[in-house]
């Protein structure tokens, strides 16, 4: 597996800028659209759970679970971007992820932030 299987973030050329900061240098916030989020819940399949259980006995990275979490975060982020764009925003500030166990059957990933309209200064 290559590094591309374990990375995340935005692709170049997207219409909605997503940043973890509260502001973007060289831009001003013209309008606050409001909170946006992207949510997904993924269950673990039996094979990965068995593999993870065996791997946990000897130690090391759980690559299958790592790849699944990256895919899940990317899906949640894509949903956040879609929601922000649909509401007329061109940026999301204070972007964060929240990850929790969902009823012991999967993992819930929520990407959230504040949708805004920004303009160059």
């Amino acid at each position: 597996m290559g590094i591309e299987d374990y990375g995340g973030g935005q692709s170049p050329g997207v219409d909605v800028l997503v940043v973890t900061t509260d502001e973007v240098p060289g831009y001003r916030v013209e309008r606050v659209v409001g909170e946006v989020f992207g949510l997904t819940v993924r269950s673990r399949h039996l094979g990965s759970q068995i593999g993870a259980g065996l791997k946990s006995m000897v130690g090391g990275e759980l690559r299958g679970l790592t790849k699944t979490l990256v895919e899940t975060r990317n899906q949640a982020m894509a949903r956040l971007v879609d929601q922000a764009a649909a509401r007329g925003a061109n940026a999301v500030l204070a972007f964060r992820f929240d990850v929790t166990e969902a009823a012991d059957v999967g993992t819930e990933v929520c990407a959230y932030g504040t949708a805004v309209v920004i303009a160059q200064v």
Side-chain angles (χ1 to χ4, degrees):
M1 290 184 194
I3 191 68
E4 65 277 356
D5 293 326
Y6 298 102
Q10 289 188 282
S11 302
V14 294
D15 293 332
V16 177
L17 176 66
V18 179
V19 297
T20 59
T21 56
D22 292 333
E23 55 189 42
V24 179
Y27 289 81
R28 71 176 179 282
V29 174
E30 290 193 332
R31 182 170 59 93
V32 174
V33 175
E35 179 190 7
V36 290
F37 66 90
L39 181 68
T40 186
V41 179
R42 292 272 179 107
S43 64
R44 294 179 213 95
H45 63 77
L46 184 58
S48 71
Q49 285 187 300
I50 291 171
L54 294 173
K55 186 72 170 185
S56 68
M57 287 188 235
V58 295
E61 181 182 11
L62 305 174
R63 289 183 181 217
L65 292 177
T66 299
K67 186 175 178 183
T68 298
L69 184 55
V70 167
E71 291 168 353
T72 304
R73 283 178 165 223
N74 288 342
Q75 183 179 46
M77 185 173 183
R79 290 178 178 176
L80 166 112
V81 168
D82 290 346
Q83 187 183 71
R87 294 179 61 191
N90 65 355
V92 175
L93 304 179
F95 170 74
R96 303 287 188 269
F97 281 114
D98 185 44
V99 180
T100 58
E101 289 297 313
D104 203 32
V105 295
T107 302
E108 172 191 327
V109 175
C110 182
Y112 64 95
T114 303
V116 297
V117 175
I118 60 174
Q120 270 190 309
V121 177

